[in-house]
Amino acid sequence: MSLNCFNVYSGRIDLEKAFKNEMKWEIGALFLSAEANTNFELLDFISNNNENSNYNFKEKNIAGYTQFSGKIKKIHYAFGLRTENTNIKGKHTNAPSLLIDKNYINFFPKIQLDIPVDSTKTISFNYAKSILRPNYSSTSKISIYTNPYLVYSRNINLNPTITDEISGTFQYKNKSIKLNFYQSKDPVNFSFSYNSSVNLITFNSINYAKESGMNLEFTLPFKKRFWSSENSFNLIYNKIEDKSAFFNESKPYLYYYLNHIFELPKEFDFSITGWGFTER
């Protein structure tokens, strides 16, 4: 039997100041605190013994950001920086030392430029560093035996995924082409491991070393009389790398999304939607 309890507290403040020439300065701060307690009790019916475990997890995040945005002639710009301090501690109640003890600072810059070519065309450039934290379910230690040979286990040692992303977009009226490159450190994906001594497969999430890729996206909306459609085509290539794993060769694939709407009499609409992947 397992009992989980989560408590999350957060607070945020944002301020901004406008200047001449459409210039604006923004500043803000965020505080986030999360606590998780897991009480686990296991009964061995053969030996009639009870095993109890109590695990406590605490995480605090303090972040501050600043951003300048404005316009120089026709060019719109935005430059920003966010700083985050993360403090994580995890411990079994009866254990003499911490199981998890992390304290680190990350910096996340951001740059955005929008350059109008004329009244119908715009070129945009973006760079940003971002963070994706593990789900709160990973803050507690839970194992679920789906059968005698397979167990699903949460990983309390997951690190957040840090991603650097740069992109360029060409916009013509309501149609656009976007090229995006990214590289991620510590991406989270599922993994299987086999313990031959107990004949057991463990299925859980782990951090791989890195992931990189590109995405070429075409957005092609269309409208004529009573027929309108949204069409998106994405050519995607990504690659995951880790010294402890074996991977097949990565190949590009295409994702497409089509949505057609037909306006009928008496305010009725008829919609057809389709999406799919090529072999991947």
Side-chain angles (χ1 to χ4, degrees):
M1 181 179 68
S2 177
L3 178 64
N4 298 312
C5 179
F6 297 93
N7 293 308
V8 180
Y9 308 93
S10 66
R12 178 171 178 169
I13 183 171
D14 296 286
L15 302 171
E16 63 178 53
K17 172 68 175 178
F19 300 93
K20 295 181 180 180
N21 301 323
E22 299 184 24
M23 182 180 292
K24 184 170 65 174
W25 177 40
E26 300 170 75
I27 187 170
L30 170 69
F31 173 79
L32 176 65
S33 176
E35 298 181 11
N37 295 315
T38 302
N39 295 317
F40 179 76
E41 181 178 350
L42 179 64
L43 174 62
D44 189 332
F45 287 97
I46 298 177
S47 62
N48 199 31
N49 291 326
N50 285 336
E51 180 182 343
N52 296 300
S53 174
N54 187 285
Y55 177 74
N56 300 313
F57 176 93
K58 293 182 179 180
E59 178 176 341
K60 290 184 179 179
N61 297 293
I62 301 175
Y65 81 93
T66 183
Q67 177 173 285
F68 288 95
S69 60
K71 182 179 179 181
I72 300 177
K73 294 183 178 180
K74 294 183 178 181
I75 301 176
H76 293 266
Y77 65 87
F79 303 94
L81 177 66
R82 189 175 82 256
T83 305
E84 293 187 1
N85 172 245
T86 302
N87 193 329
I88 304 175
K89 297 185 184 299
K91 181 180 181 295
H92 289 285
T93 303
N94 299 324
S97 60
L98 293 170
L99 182 63
I100 300 176
D101 188 7
K102 300 178 181 180
N103 192 345
Y104 52 84
I105 296 177
N106 288 313
F107 298 92
F108 302 98
K110 173 186 175 181
I111 301 173
Q112 179 178 342
L113 295 173
D114 296 323
I115 306 171
V117 178
D118 54 33
S119 60
T120 61
K121 306 181 189 69
T122 303
I123 299 174
S124 300
F125 298 97
N126 294 273
Y127 165 76
K129 181 187 287 286
S130 61
I131 183 171
L132 179 61
R133 302 183 187 278
N135 190 280
Y136 279 122
S137 63
S138 299
T139 60
S140 63
K141 298 186 66 176
I142 294 294
S143 295
I144 301 173
Y145 286 81
T146 58
N147 59 57
Y149 308 102
L150 178 64
V151 58
Y152 169 75
S153 178
R154 290 176 179 168
N155 186 356
I156 61 174
N157 292 299
L158 287 176
N159 292 320
T161 302
I162 306 294
T163 300
D164 288 279
E165 185 175 1
I166 185 170
S167 64
T169 305
F170 175 73
Q171 182 88 27
Y172 174 65
K173 295 182 178 179
N174 60 350
K175 300 175 178 62
S176 66
I177 301 174
K178 181 179 180 180
L179 181 61
N180 173 76
F181 296 92
Y182 75 93
Q183 181 168 299
S184 298
K185 178 184 176 183
D186 292 326
V188 177
N189 286 280
F190 289 112
S191 174
F192 290 90
S193 60
Y194 176 65
N195 188 333
S196 58
S197 61
V198 293
N199 194 27
L200 185 66
I201 298 174
T202 300
F203 173 53
N204 66 354
S205 299
I206 66 170
N207 288 113
Y208 288 88
K210 66 178 180 178
E211 179 180 355
S212 58
M214 62 159 287
N215 180 17
L216 181 60
E217 178 182 350
F218 297 86
T219 303
L220 305 170
F222 170 83
K223 184 173 179 61
K224 186 174 183 180
R225 299 177 63 188
F226 60 89
W227 174 29
S228 61
S229 67
E230 294 287 338
N231 306 291
S232 179
F233 301 90
N234 292 265
L235 182 63
I236 302 168
Y237 173 82
N238 64 328
K239 182 179 181 182
I240 300 175
E241 300 177 60
D242 193 90
K243 293 181 179 180
S244 64
F246 295 95
F247 296 92
N248 292 326
E249 182 182 358
S250 299
K251 295 181 180 180
Y253 63 94
L254 178 68
Y255 166 76
Y256 54 89
Y257 171 83
L258 310 171
N259 180 32
H260 298 269
I261 299 177
F262 301 89
E263 298 178 4
L264 303 178
K266 297 184 179 181
E267 299 184 355
F268 282 95
D269 289 339
F270 178 73
S271 175
I272 300 176
T273 301
W275 61 271
F277 291 95
T278 59
E279 184 178 353
R280 55 184 296 229

